[in-house]
Amino acid sequence: MACENDIEFSGEESRPMLVINSIVHAGHPIDVRVSRSIFFLDVTTTEYILHDATVNVSINGESTILPYDADTQNYHDERIAHEGDHIVVTTSHPTYGKATGETTVPHMPKNIVTTTVTRYGGWKDTSYVPDFVAHARTDSVLHVSIRCDLPEDSHTYRLVMESPMSYFTVHGLDDTGYYGLEYYVPDGDDYNEESDELLAISTLRYTVPTTTRTLISMEEDYVDELIDNLDITDDDTPMVGGQDYLFTDELLQNSASKTLDFNVMLSTPIWWGGAEYYYDPSKHFFIDYGDNRDCGNPWDYLSNDFLCHFEIEFSTLSKEYYKYQKSFLDYENKEIDIFSEPVQIYSNIQGGTGIVAALATQTTECNYRYSFTINP
Amino acid sequence: MNRSLNILLTAAVTCVWIALPARGQQRLTVSGYVTDGGSSETLVSATVLDLKSGLGTVTNEYGFYSLSLPAGDVELVTRYVGYRTRTDAFRLTADTLLALPLGSMMALDEVEIVGNRLDLGATGSQMSAIDIPIEQIKAVPTMFGETDVLKALQLLPGVQAGTEGTAGLYVRGGAPDENLLLIDGVPVYNVNHMCGLFSVFNPDAIKNVTLYKGSFPAHYSGRLSSIVDVRMKDGDMYGYHGNFSIGAVSSKLNFEGPLWKGKTSFNISARRTYSDVITNAVMLYIMSTEGSESDKLKGSIGYYFDDLNVKVNHKFNDQDRLYLSLYTGADDIYFSLKEKEARDYRQTDRFSWKWGNLVAAARWNHVIGQKMFMDVSANYTQYKHDMGLTVLEEEFEEKSTFTMGLDMNSGIFDETLRADFHWNPTPLHEVRFGTSGTHHLFKPDFMAFDMEAKQEHALGKVEMLDTLHMKYGSASTDAFESQTYIEDNMTLWDVVKVNVGLSSALFHVDGRAYFSPEPRVSGRVMLTDDWSVKAGYAYMTQYVHLLSNNSLSLPTDLWVPVTGKIAPEHSSQWAVGTFYTLDDLCDLSLEGYYKTQTNLLEYKEGVAFLTGSTDWQDKVAMGRGWSYGVELMAQRSVGKLNGWVAYTWSRTRRLFDRPGMELNGGRPYNAKYDRRHEVDITGNYRVSDRFDLGITWLYATGNCGTLYKQYYEPAEQELNEYYYGLTDILALGYAESRNNFRLPAYHRLDVSANFHKQWRNGITRTWNVSCYNAYNQMNPFLVFTYTGYRYQGDEMVATRSLKKFTLFPIIPSVSFSLSW
């Protein structure tokens, strides 16, 4: 009964806009990408990078016209961006007009990330966990202590955990057991010989959600509430992977400190999609036991130790970057949920679209030896 | 500002009441019920007028009237459209209880029976309200020939339909959850069947429908945008009647009659669809074609909805009546599959997703003295959905079983005690006051997952191999809501009538209490005998919300209360209009309104019920809205040709600019169902006793939607590939504003014809032939951009196009009914 037809677009055909994209990293040179947007029905148009624009970057009032780098297709500024720098990017193009965007480089998060690892020692309540998984698991708690003492204008953050492991789970802990879901590398269960190496080095970016991501609020009560909400050990904030990054707002202002506890769980063997996998320490990857019988009994690995490696990035973000990323994540959700309203990506470009934003990142590595124990 | 306005209006109400001149002299009261002379069915909104004094009134929703008149000669004229006018002349020397049964003019001429309420027309103080008798609703051509109350209401000015085919009401810029839909005074939370294609109101069970779009009387509260007051039939006190119909989608049966002649009556109506009967027959056929394998596969699959309305009415005496009414209805999607793959293995899967309402009311009407009518009721209403999936695998040789169960449910459960009083102290005052208390229980969402694997060993020892029991969900929330109100429909001077009222609502939840005084005022000035000007103001508060961010009504839509974070919604609506009655042939009305709303809820961008595990409060944004418009209506109420022509010009805007809750970048935008123009023409023509025609044509400006008109690359180019796996398509869409695109205009013609024949045994059969979307207009159900690929030479290149999805092309249908 229903049918589908093409229809003519009867609305006003909007004109292409100048697009400026520049994410400034503290301590690095500045790159500016200039392109144009394309009308949605002109999808086959591939010539959208603009190499004949005039790009002027001002750092604290000192302007320079940037040259175009054909290799990277960016306009490149050799000057290094420093924390606190005010950066204005102005671009003009003979066809697409003039646009401008500005940002301030946030302060570097100095000595604010420390990590310690403690063994947790298995499940407190196995009723949440199927036995065939639980008895092969041992869990560890990764304490990420964050202490910030930054000027008031740097109140947005991002925390990213990276691991070369093909599989790990991050949970909030509570008194009764575990909340959260397991996160897998998208193609981790499509293991095969050819892609073994590729998958083994693939990086899983676990992204931590938060329940409250309001950008600006100076009310003290609200900040307290926010900190409470961000207590990820609370039952109400299960940490489900793969949806949001952690953007904390004013969480750590005025020298407040916060310790976030992550339960890092590794399992072997595991079940997924009806297949059985075991962890191969030499490859840092789970291998389908069914296809690799010659690897031996996976239970032999239960007593193995291996090195677990994490990288933890902690960044302070300019407000523009926070808003941009936040809307970008919503945009992704829209792709998942067909019932949600379309998202407008945040832009701070006057006269066009795109983003000029900045962040300062500190990376901490975490290595520890991990051993399986069998829960009797 | 609203608070100041409320205080001002409250003071004004009090002052007017105190300052009213004591115009009553020696008065006596005539009161009683106006009923159908044949069945004793009470008649709602019948007019009772004393020609000697010029004083009159209308019956309330229970058919009761009370009229204080000067002692002496009285000439009472009682009218109700479709009934013979009754005149009673007598000398009034004492308070009198007078029953007024009316004789029906034409038992079969349903299409000629059209309402004409004294309080809603040119002479009444009420405005922004429309009364539609069920007979006219039945005469409106509909999809699949299924008469639908809400879809008939969608054809009225100021009411929009939302997505085609669905029964949602968007009244004066409001959302569907801002409508209070009442069955016999009890709220119904889910008014849709089949994702909104049909409403839950079975027309065979209904006596009367009244829609209020503004200037709400004080005895209504709880929603921002409209009240739909549906009254069920009481049942014939003296004879048995019924009708049965069979249509393309459902069959209906209605039966009524006395349980105790003259004292107790009943009315029972049932409706059920039978698409599952067809799907099961198909499934049986498919399984039978498996030949010898058929015994290995057994199962059923289907969808249906059903409704059951029951009402029992007992008349103790002229002062006391008892009503018991029940409505229950549900939608059910189910499948069951039993598969036996081998001698030692069997798998059984069962799935059921059921959702629906249960509404029950016990009501006692009592006349206190001659001037006061009391209505006391105990009500219960619930809406819940429950989805269950079970899988059972059995291996007989190993004596092992695996069971898995998933259960998801949510619901809202209300228990209410209510008392209303109608008091006519003088002919100049019709006072109503009352109070109610409601206990709400909200169960927003709950999910349980259970799994067990076990094996039986020798000597009957059972080993539990694996178990998993998980429960997720929000905690249930209890809330208490109370309402107290008083209103007076006052005649100030012969040409001026004012209805002033004050309703106060208290909502207690999570240790917090919200209180909201809600002043209401409306007035009428007669310019001539047939022409009046009216104006009104209403302040409304809503404490419950429906979380739904799509155009369809889904069982997963959640009713949630206000909380510490989510404040009550408020609206203020001003309306002004002029009304003219043209020689009893036609009622003309022109109304303008301006409505503001605060604390409106919308899902945040990119968020919906499928998204994430965060609490619902973190998924929504709060903002405000305003709408204004002009509505023109010409309604012909009598004669062989009747119906209405309506035109609406309106605008609806939204602004969500609170920090952290910005939508559209904190800038104002058009609401999704902002439609500038809408024209509705509905007509019924009774050619003869055996043949009548119905026609509906409507035109509406297209809905709004958000369309990414430009695409551009993200700042971090690797994201383009990471998320989309595409290098030749720019990932980010750009829309200059939310709802920046207007869909093509919507228009449609529906026609129907009824062929009646009365058999000698008194049974009347009717063939209904109808055609929905008669000229097959391909109206868009939704519009979307489609990205695909095509070959350009040897190279595959991306393409993008704009597509529309049409759900309902021309749909002819036939139904057959018998009535006796």
Side-chain angles (χ1 to χ4, degrees):
Chain A
M1 188 163 62
C3 59
E4 188 181 295
N5 303 101
D6 285 349
I7 58 173
E8 292 290 325
F9 174 71
S10 57
E12 184 182 348
E13 183 168 333
S14 58
R15 296 176 52 204
M17 298 175 297
L18 203 55
V19 180
I20 304 176
N21 282 318
S22 179
I23 306 299
V24 179
H25 293 258
H28 293 81
I30 299 170
D31 282 311
V32 179
R33 177 103 158 182
V34 180
S35 59
R36 70 174 180 93
S37 64
I38 59 172
F39 185 57
F40 77 106
L41 294 176
D42 296 337
V43 66
T44 53
T45 303
T46 56
E47 298 298 325
Y48 52 85
I49 303 296
L50 300 179
H51 53 79
D52 54 348
T54 301
V55 179
N56 185 312
V57 171
S58 160
I59 301 178
N60 300 324
E62 191 175 320
S63 297
T64 298
I65 294 179
L66 305 189
Y68 179 71
D69 182 341
D71 292 336
T72 62
Q73 297 184 307
N74 290 336
Y75 293 83
H76 185 69
D77 191 342
E78 290 293 344
R79 294 176 293 176
I80 303 296
H82 299 286
E83 53 189 299
D85 282 351
H86 184 68
I87 296 172
V88 180
V89 179
T90 305
T91 300
S92 61
H93 187 273
T95 305
Y96 303 107
K98 183 177 179 181
T100 184
E102 59 187 291
T103 187
T104 300
V105 182
H107 290 265
M108 186 70 78
K110 295 169 185 171
N111 300 319
I112 60 165
V113 176
T114 62
T115 61
T116 60
V117 177
T118 60
R119 298 296 296 274
Y120 180 64
W123 303 91
K124 281 185 178 178
D125 181 354
T126 56
S127 67
Y128 287 92
V129 184
D131 289 346
F132 62 85
V133 174
H135 64 215
R137 284 179 173 168
T138 297
D139 312 298
S140 294
V141 175
L142 178 65
H143 292 299
V144 180
S145 299
I146 302 171
R147 183 177 176 82
C148 245
D149 190 7
L150 295 174
E152 289 186 358
D153 60 351
S154 300
H155 291 154
T156 55
Y157 312 97
R158 181 177 72 179
L159 181 67
V160 175
M161 295 174 65
E162 293 191 26
S163 173
M165 305 293 294
S166 59
Y167 165 73
F168 73 101
T169 306
V170 180
H171 284 260
L173 297 178
D174 60 33
D175 292 338
T176 58
Y178 293 84
Y179 279 84
L181 298 178
E182 296 161 352
Y183 188 93
Y184 293 82
V185 171
D187 49 1
D189 55 350
D190 292 334
Y191 169 81
N192 57 56
E193 291 293 338
E194 289 72 25
S195 60
D196 178 16
E197 187 176 354
L198 176 66
L199 291 172
I201 62 170
S202 66
T203 298
L204 174 62
R205 295 170 67 91
Y206 178 75
T207 58
V208 185
T210 178
T211 55
T212 305
R213 290 180 282 119
T214 305
L215 180 62
I216 299 170
S217 173
M218 301 305 288
E219 296 176 24
E220 192 173 342
D221 290 347
Y222 181 80
V223 175
D224 291 342
E225 183 184 340
L226 192 63
I227 290 173
D228 290 342
N229 283 339
L230 279 167
D231 181 359
I232 60 172
T233 65
D234 187 87
D235 296 11
D236 295 333
T237 54
M239 300 176 60
V240 181
Q243 289 188 9
D244 285 356
Y245 299 90
L246 176 64
F247 291 98
T248 67
D249 324 324
E250 304 170 349
L251 172 64
L252 306 168
Q253 68 175 344
N254 302 324
S255 303
S257 65
K258 181 68 180 171
T259 299
L260 306 178
D261 289 345
F262 300 92
N263 174 47
V264 180
M265 182 176 69
L266 292 165
S267 307
T268 182
I270 59 169
W271 289 87
W272 183 249
E276 189 177 17
Y277 295 84
Y278 66 93
Y279 184 79
D280 185 339
S282 64
K283 296 181 177 177
H284 291 287
F285 190 71
F286 284 93
I287 296 175
D288 185 344
Y289 172 69
D291 293 342
N292 296 274
R293 293 282 175 183
D294 56 345
C295 293
N297 189 335
W299 297 97
D300 294 342
Y301 290 89
L302 293 178
S303 59
N304 283 354
D305 292 346
F306 60 91
L307 192 65
C308 185
H309 175 76
F310 286 93
E311 284 188 3
I312 298 167
E313 286 181 15
F314 189 74
S315 307
T316 50
L317 314 177
S318 70
K319 288 183 173 54
E320 298 83 18
Y321 192 68
Y322 169 78
K323 288 183 177 180
Y324 175 78
Q325 282 283 9
K326 182 174 176 294
S327 62
F328 190 89
L329 292 166
D330 292 339
Y331 192 86
E332 285 184 84
N333 284 337
K334 169 60 189 167
E335 299 295 313
I336 298 167
D337 191 337
I338 59 170
F339 291 118
S340 62
E341 281 293 329
V343 176
Q344 297 179 63
I345 301 286
Y346 172 79
S347 171
N348 65 340
I349 305 300
Q350 300 293 320
T353 191
I355 186 72
V356 173
L359 72 161
T361 302
Q362 186 183 52
T363 302
T364 299
E365 293 192 357
C366 168
N367 296 293
Y368 68 98
R369 187 159 294 280
Y370 191 96
S371 63
F372 293 114
T373 60
I374 298 175
N375 195 2
Chain B
M1 180 187 169
N2 278 330
R3 183 171 292 274
S4 304
L5 186 64
N6 288 348
I7 293 169
L8 192 66
L9 284 171
T10 305
V13 169
T14 309
C15 290
V16 166
W17 173 259
I18 292 170
L20 270 177
R23 299 177 63 192
Q25 300 163 1
Q26 185 185 0
R27 301 279 178 178
L28 297 170
T29 301
V30 185
S31 61
Y33 288 89
V34 178
T35 59
D36 179 307
S39 67
S40 278
E41 183 90 29
T42 55
L43 300 178
V44 180
S45 304
T47 64
V48 182
L49 178 69
D50 174 34
L51 295 180
K52 297 283 185 188
S53 63
L55 298 171
T57 188
V58 294
T59 56
N60 66 14
E61 51 269 40
Y62 305 101
F64 180 78
Y65 75 96
S66 177
L67 190 58
S68 289
L69 300 171
D73 290 336
V74 168
E75 190 174 353
L76 277 189
V77 176
T78 308
R79 288 195 186 113
Y80 192 76
V81 179
Y83 289 81
R84 292 189 188 90
T85 298
R86 173 191 174 114
T87 304
D88 294 88
F90 57 95
R91 186 163 186 80
L92 186 63
T93 56
D95 288 343
T96 303
L97 202 59
L98 181 63
L100 298 172
L102 298 182
S104 175
M105 275 199 301
M106 46 223 153
L108 298 176
D109 298 349
E110 291 184 335
V111 293
E112 286 196 36
I113 304 170
V114 180
N116 182 18
R117 287 179 50 171
L118 182 66
D119 57 337
L120 305 186
T123 56
S125 59
Q126 179 67 49
M127 64 179 303
S128 302
I130 303 171
D131 183 62
I132 309 182
I134 195 65
E135 289 77 13
Q136 191 169 43
I137 289 173
K138 287 180 177 177
V140 174
T142 53
M143 188 188 301
F144 303 115
E146 289 287 321
T147 303
D148 196 295
V149 171
L150 297 188
K151 288 183 180 175
L153 296 182
Q154 289 172 349
L155 300 171
L156 298 172
V159 184
Q160 293 174 353
T163 303
E164 184 191 16
T166 62
L169 298 180
Y170 295 78
V171 181
R172 290 184 171 176
D177 73 328
E178 295 170 14
N179 308 311
L180 178 62
L181 292 112
L182 302 167
I183 286 185
D184 279 349
V186 187
V188 183
Y189 281 102
N190 176 46
V191 295
N192 297 303
H193 284 307
M194 208 183 273
C195 296
L197 294 184
F198 302 101
S199 77
V200 299
F201 301 108
N202 180 355
D204 287 345
I206 292 170
K207 176 166 62 175
N208 187 269
V209 179
T210 305
L211 167 72
Y212 296 86
K213 301 178 288 183
S215 296
F216 304 102
H219 59 277
Y220 292 119
S221 71
R223 299 291 189 276
L224 300 189
S225 292
S226 83
I227 310 292
V228 179
D229 193 345
V230 176
R231 296 285 160 176
M232 285 166 58
K233 284 180 184 172
D234 298 335
D236 194 324
M237 284 276 192
Y238 295 98
Y240 293 99
H241 304 286
N243 61 280
F244 170 76
S245 65
I246 182 167
V249 174
S250 72
S251 288
K252 297 188 281 274
L253 174 67
N254 181 72
F255 191 57
E256 62 180 309
L259 292 173
W260 180 5
K261 227 168 213 180
K263 286 287 186 184
T264 309
S265 67
F266 73 93
N267 186 86
I268 182 166
S269 296
R271 173 172 64 164
R272 193 189 191 283
T273 60
Y274 27 68
S275 59
D276 58 328
V277 177
I278 298 168
T279 55
N280 278 318
V282 171
M283 193 161 178
L284 271 176
Y285 172 76
I286 292 171
M287 287 187 289
S288 67
T289 56
E290 296 291 321
S292 60
E293 301 292 317
S294 61
D295 59 329
K296 295 181 178 177
L297 187 67
K298 292 179 180 175
S300 60
I301 185 169
Y303 163 81
Y304 72 90
F305 71 77
D306 58 17
D307 294 300
L308 176 68
N309 295 72
V310 180
K311 190 166 184 179
V312 176
N313 158 37
H314 179 71
K315 179 182 173 185
F316 293 97
N317 49 49
D318 287 341
Q319 280 83 31
D320 294 283
R321 282 177 183 245
L322 179 70
Y323 299 92
L324 301 174
S325 51
L326 171 79
Y327 164 72
T328 180
D331 294 55
D332 193 1
I333 302 172
Y334 64 90
F335 79 77
S336 160
L337 198 64
K338 189 177 283 187
E339 191 174 7
K340 193 173 180 181
E341 289 184 349
R343 180 183 290 272
D344 65 336
Y345 178 80
R346 183 171 63 193
Q347 179 170 342
T348 307
D349 302 328
R350 285 196 176 89
F351 172 81
S352 173
W353 195 0
K354 195 167 187 176
W355 64 97
N357 299 287
L358 173 63
V359 177
R363 185 178 305 280
W364 173 41
N365 285 177
H366 177 63
V367 180
I368 304 171
Q370 302 292 324
K371 298 181 177 178
M372 185 174 288
F373 175 88
M374 181 182 74
D375 173 32
V376 178
S377 62
N379 308 323
Y380 177 78
T381 182
Q382 72 169 42
Y383 166 68
K384 65 177 183 178
H385 91 83
D386 196 344
M387 185 178 77
L389 170 67
T390 59
V391 175
L392 171 63
E393 294 178 34
E394 299 164 284
E395 293 192 26
F396 299 110
E397 282 191 6
E398 294 186 4
K399 293 186 177 179
S400 65
T401 59
F402 172 83
T403 58
M404 190 270 287
L406 175 68
D407 183 39
M408 292 176 64
N409 59 60
S410 72
I412 178 170
F413 309 84
D414 286 2
E415 298 151 348
T416 301
L417 290 175
R418 184 178 177 102
D420 297 274
F421 298 87
H422 306 220
W423 179 44
N424 291 12
T426 76
L428 306 179
H429 296 277
E430 297 168 19
V431 180
R432 292 183 70 150
F433 58 94
T435 186
S436 68
T438 300
H439 169 250
H440 298 279
L441 175 62
F442 296 89
K443 291 184 176 176
D445 54 344
F446 172 80
M447 188 186 85
F449 179 80
D450 298 285
M451 185 270 287
E452 276 187 8
K454 58 187 177 183
Q455 187 170 19
E456 185 178 337
H457 297 293
L459 303 176
K461 184 184 177 186
V462 177
E463 180 191 5
M464 194 64 72
L465 301 175
D466 294 305
T467 60
L468 176 60
H469 304 285
M470 292 168 31
K471 291 179 180 177
Y472 293 100
S474 306
S476 298
T477 303
D478 287 281
F480 181 76
E481 182 176 10
S482 68
Q483 185 214 357
T484 304
Y485 71 90
I486 183 167
E487 66 178 270
D488 187 3
N489 198 18
M490 296 179 285
T491 303
L492 296 183
W493 297 279
D494 288 342
V495 296
V496 179
K497 200 166 185 178
V498 177
N499 186 314
V500 292
L502 179 67
S503 175
S504 67
L506 178 71
F507 196 88
H508 192 275
V509 63
D510 283 343
R512 293 185 60 146
Y514 295 95
F515 176 71
S516 176
E518 302 172 12
R520 320 279 173 80
V521 60
S522 61
R524 171 273 278 158
V525 177
M526 296 298 299
L527 302 178
T528 70
D529 286 347
D530 301 317
W531 183 22
S532 66
V533 174
K534 300 183 186 181
Y537 168 79
Y539 183 80
M540 304 291 278
T541 302
Q542 182 165 335
Y543 294 105
V544 293
H545 316 288
L546 181 67
L547 292 185
S548 172
N549 64 341
N550 55 81
S551 306
L552 300 176
S553 169
L554 299 177
T556 49
D557 295 349
L558 295 179
W559 281 98
V560 292
V562 297
T563 66
K565 287 183 183 176
I566 305 298
E569 295 176 328
H570 300 288
S571 75
S572 290
Q573 186 181 161
W574 298 90
V576 62
T578 183
F579 300 77
Y580 183 69
T581 301
L582 180 64
D583 294 335
D584 289 332
L585 291 176
C586 178
D587 289 315
L588 302 171
S589 65
L590 174 66
E591 287 192 49
Y593 67 91
Y594 181 80
K595 180 163 75 175
T596 60
Q597 296 167 285
T598 56
N599 300 333
L600 293 178
L601 290 188
E602 292 259 11
Y603 271 109
K604 292 176 180 174
E605 291 173 348
V607 174
F609 64 90
L610 294 175
T611 310
S613 61
T614 51
D615 186 75
W616 67 268
Q617 296 176 81
D618 294 310
K619 294 181 180 178
V620 297
M622 291 175 66
R624 55 198 170 97
W626 60 97
S627 53
Y628 47 91
V630 176
E631 300 163 1
L632 178 65
M633 186 174 186
Q635 183 177 14
R636 179 174 165 79
S637 306
V638 293
K640 288 181 178 295
L641 175 65
N642 58 70
W644 65 83
V645 177
Y647 169 73
T648 306
W649 181 95
S650 62
R651 188 146 201 229
T652 304
R653 304 276 285 168
R654 295 281 184 266
L655 176 63
F656 284 68
D657 60 352
R658 300 185 189 185
M661 294 188 175
E662 297 95 341
L663 301 180
N664 194 41
R667 293 170 286 127
Y669 61 93
N670 290 334
K672 185 170 187 176
Y673 295 104
D674 169 57
R675 287 174 155 168
R676 200 67 65 244
H677 307 281
E678 180 159 345
V679 178
D680 303 288
I681 300 173
T682 297
N684 308 301
Y685 183 63
R686 186 166 174 271
V687 180
S688 69
D689 290 346
R690 301 181 61 175
F691 180 50
D692 59 76
L693 290 168
I695 184 170
T696 296
W697 183 77
L698 62 97
Y699 170 91
T701 306
N703 293 332
C704 293
T706 305
L707 177 68
Y708 295 133
K709 292 181 182 175
Q710 296 281 326
Y711 277 81
Y712 63 103
E713 66 172 359
E716 288 139 326
Q717 285 87 35
E718 65 272 19
L719 296 177
N720 210 47
E721 295 180 38
Y722 181 80
Y723 290 111
Y724 302 93
L726 306 171
T727 55
D728 57 346
I729 292 183
L730 298 180
L732 299 188
Y734 173 84
E736 65 274 22
S737 78
R738 189 180 173 108
N739 294 335
N740 62 338
F741 176 68
R742 201 170 279 284
L743 274 61
Y746 180 94
H747 53 98
R748 192 187 81 227
L749 174 72
D750 307 331
V751 293
S752 70
N754 290 304
F755 303 90
H756 311 280
K757 183 174 184 180
Q758 187 167 23
W759 294 332
R760 288 181 183 174
N761 57 9
I763 295 176
T764 301
R765 67 104 177 107
T766 300
W767 282 101
N768 172 276
V769 180
S770 63
C771 189
Y772 179 88
N773 194 6
Y775 55 78
N776 196 28
Q777 172 65 23
M778 291 297 182
N779 289 304
F781 183 76
L782 58 89
V783 171
F784 58 98
T785 53
Y786 173 76
T787 304
Y789 287 89
R790 64 177 170 80
Y791 279 102
Q792 196 171 60
D794 294 335
E795 188 182 354
M796 185 180 279
V797 295
T799 63
R800 187 179 281 132
S801 58
L802 195 61
K803 286 183 178 291
K804 71 174 177 183
F805 180 74
T806 301
L807 194 55
F808 301 111
I810 182 171
I811 303 175
S813 60
V814 178
S815 66
F816 176 78
S817 63
L818 296 172
S819 59
W820 62 93

